[in-house]
């Protein structure tokens, strides 16, 4: 799964629109939209955008068992 698809899935499951989430993050809705279109944010941007959704970025060894609700992104 790529970042943009995972982010949209998480956003939808939490009941947010792009506009609502952008306001919470403190950015313009267009900035969030562009980031999702590009699909390759920096780690700091991804972390900033995922925080309000209740997620953190984590690096784990390949093959680790992840908790339910985790998303593995193709890099």
């Amino acid at each position: 799964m790529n970042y943009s698809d995972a982010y949209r899935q998480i956003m939808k499951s939490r009941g947010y629109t792009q506009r609502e989430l952008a306001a919470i993050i403190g950015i313009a809705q267009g900035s969030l939209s562009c980031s999702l279109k590009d699909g390759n944010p920096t780690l700091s941007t991804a972390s900033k955008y995922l925080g309000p959704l209740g997620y953190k970025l984590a690096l784990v060894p390949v093959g680790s068992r992840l908790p339910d609700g985790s998303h593995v992104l193709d890099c």
Side-chain angles (χ1 to χ4, degrees), residues 31-48:
S31 296
L32 180 56
S33 179
C34 285
S35 175
L36 293 176
K37 284 180 187 174
D38 178 44
N40 193 21
T42 63
L43 291 177
S44 62
T45 297
S47 181
K48 177 182 175 181

Side-chain angles (χ1 to χ4, degrees), residues 1-3 7 15 17 19-20 23 28-29 33 35-36 38-39 44 48 53-54 57 59 67 70 74:
M1 176 178 289
N2 67 35
Y3 172 82
Y7 194 87
T17 65
R19 179 163 292 165
E20 292 167 334
Q29 185 271 329
S33 179
S35 175
L36 293 176
D38 178 44
S44 62
K48 177 182 175 181
L53 293 171
L57 294 177
L59 301 175
S70 296
D74 298 326

Side-chain angles (χ1 to χ4, degrees), residues 2-4 7 11 13-14 27 29 44 58 63-65 67 69 74:
N2 67 35
Y3 172 82
S4 295
Y7 194 87
M11 187 174 62
S13 73
R14 300 280 198 225
I27 60 172
Q29 185 271 329
S44 62
S64 296
R65 184 177 171 148
D74 298 326

